[in-house]
Amino acid sequence: MAESGASPLPPSTSPLSPRSPHSSALSRAEQFVWLTARVLEQRRFAYHFLNGGADPVDTALAAYLNEDDGYGHALEPDLRGPVSQPLHTGHALRVLDSIGRCGGQRVERACRYLSSVSTPEGALPAIHPSQRGYPSAPFVPVMDDPPSSLLATGPVVGLLHRNEVWHAWLFRATDFCWQAVESLEKSHPYEVEAAVVFLDNAPDRPRAEAAADRLGRMVREQRLAVLDPDQLDSFPVSPGYAPGEHHFPYDYAKVPESLARAWFTDEEMERSLDFLERQQQGDGGWPIRWRQWAPGTALESRPIVTIEALLTLRAYGRTIV
């Protein structure tokens, strides 16, 4: 590795097999990541859990960067092909945020890309028409004139505000997010999760808290969160979702500081975290709940989901080592 100039991965925390009864959740997940993950997720796992550096994550992420300053190459596994997409670029910003590097000229250039693919409202479409001709999940149709999407725009705007990024694109995109969130009457879990990222980071805190309170009541009224995992069948799955594609309190409140945490009682939150712990599979990874349409996309997605599960459990003080 030294001769090639590549940065070596940190040493493994445990030689135990994923199925060993004496191995921790983290060590089982580690074996799963080494076995199945892309280089980016290997580097992310090392950064978050093995004292790895940020530079290797940054280097791995750069492989997905295109000349238009957007990100592509199936960074978001359900969209294949080389072209830049808003969802890929949002994924890249989440990675940069997680290593403390969501800023500077690189992010300004990403904002220029986002501006170039925005709708007339100044927001992002879920899928830009450039995806046409490349494989993509059947549940993300490609349209010639796609509408503005809170699902795509909310997380990007939220992350940029959290990192105090100021760019002209943000003004209209922020206005769109406020209008979209405050006018929601009926929604679905992924859209609500996108709204939460925006509200958790929007500069106008009183307005965000009021909007989050209304959104939380809607989530409970429309039964968009499973409040008791032992009674899964009593909670509906949103239209268009895969069978069993339920969402839980921890999906909305990924950290205790989230505004969405107030939507759930302590007992409901603890039950959902217990369920999340139990979802670790025999191979050490966590499952994906959305519709699996190609073997490769499921394989690439599971390490991402596994890292997120471990981060959530750790954020709530659960023992993972």
Side-chain angles (χ1 to χ4, degrees):
M1 293 290 288
E3 292 179 357
S4 70
S7 173
L9 287 164
S12 171
T13 59
S14 172
L16 295 171
S17 72
R19 295 184 181 275
S20 169
H22 303 294
S23 57
S24 67
L26 182 61
S27 63
R28 296 196 302 274
E30 181 185 350
Q31 295 301 313
F32 172 76
V33 166
W34 297 148
L35 180 65
T36 65
R38 304 180 296 189
V39 173
L40 176 59
E41 281 70 52
Q42 291 182 37
R43 296 302 195 178
R44 288 187 63 211
F45 186 93
Y47 174 82
H48 288 296
F49 305 111
L50 302 177
N51 297 315
D55 284 347
V57 180
D58 213 334
T59 300
L61 181 63
Y64 298 88
L65 181 63
N66 283 322
E67 292 183 359
D68 61 5
D69 294 313
Y71 288 78
H73 303 278
L75 178 55
E76 190 68 35
D78 281 325
L79 297 176
R80 315 306 292 182
V83 294
S84 297
Q85 284 290 322
L87 290 178
H88 293 319
T89 305
H91 190 129
L93 292 174
R94 288 197 302 275
V95 172
L96 292 172
D97 175 68
S98 73
I99 61 173
R101 295 189 176 183
C102 189
Q105 292 186 354
R106 169 175 45 189
V107 174
E108 290 181 10
R109 291 193 295 269
C111 287
R112 287 202 294 270
Y113 161 75
L114 296 172
S115 180
S116 73
V117 297
S118 290
T119 66
E121 294 175 282
L124 297 173
I127 309 295
H128 188 266
S130 60
Q131 183 66 30
R132 190 176 302 281
Y134 297 103
S136 60
F139 47 81
V140 284
V142 181
M143 294 181 282
D144 291 331
D145 187 21
S148 299
S149 167
L150 177 60
L151 190 151
T153 311
V156 170
V157 172
L159 287 175
L160 293 176
H161 279 307
R162 178 157 73 199
N163 289 277
E164 299 183 346
V165 174
W166 294 105
H167 188 275
W169 176 78
L170 262 178
F171 292 101
R172 293 184 66 208
T174 300
D175 288 342
F176 165 80
C177 289
W178 279 124
Q179 189 278 330
V181 170
E182 292 176 334
S183 63
L184 279 178
E185 296 295 337
K186 187 171 179 59
S187 189
H188 60 93
Y190 292 120
E191 186 174 54
V192 174
E193 290 170 24
V196 169
V197 179
F198 169 70
L199 294 174
D200 276 346
N201 299 286
D204 189 340
R205 300 315 299 153
R207 187 177 181 182
E209 290 166 6
D213 181 67
R214 189 186 75 85
L215 194 60
R217 291 197 301 272
M218 187 188 76
V219 165
R220 296 186 73 93
E221 290 168 1
Q222 297 180 14
R223 298 172 64 79
L224 299 182
V226 174
L227 303 180
D228 186 352
D230 291 333
Q231 300 182 30
L232 273 179
D233 292 342
S234 66
F235 291 88
V237 172
S238 292
Y241 281 35
E245 194 175 354
H246 293 97
H247 288 242
F248 300 83
Y250 60 76
D251 288 310
Y252 301 103
K254 297 182 185 299
V255 295
E257 298 79 19
S258 173
L259 290 173
R261 175 61 185 86
W263 301 352
F264 310 106
T265 67
D266 290 347
E267 183 180 7
E268 289 165 349
M269 198 73 220
E270 290 302 309
R271 281 200 300 255
S272 78
L273 293 169
D274 290 343
F275 178 79
L276 180 60
E277 286 183 332
R278 295 196 302 269
Q279 285 297 291
Q280 188 174 23
Q281 305 293 285
D283 60 7
W286 267 260
I288 60 173
R289 298 195 301 270
W290 61 88
R291 197 177 305 278
Q292 300 182 34
W293 62 281
T297 61
L299 185 67
E300 291 179 358
S301 295
R302 285 192 64 206
I304 299 172
V305 170
T306 295
I307 291 170
E308 295 305 316
L310 290 168
L311 288 172
T312 295
L313 290 170
R314 186 170 68 180
Y316 280 94
R318 294 298 181 104
T319 300
I320 61 173
V321 296

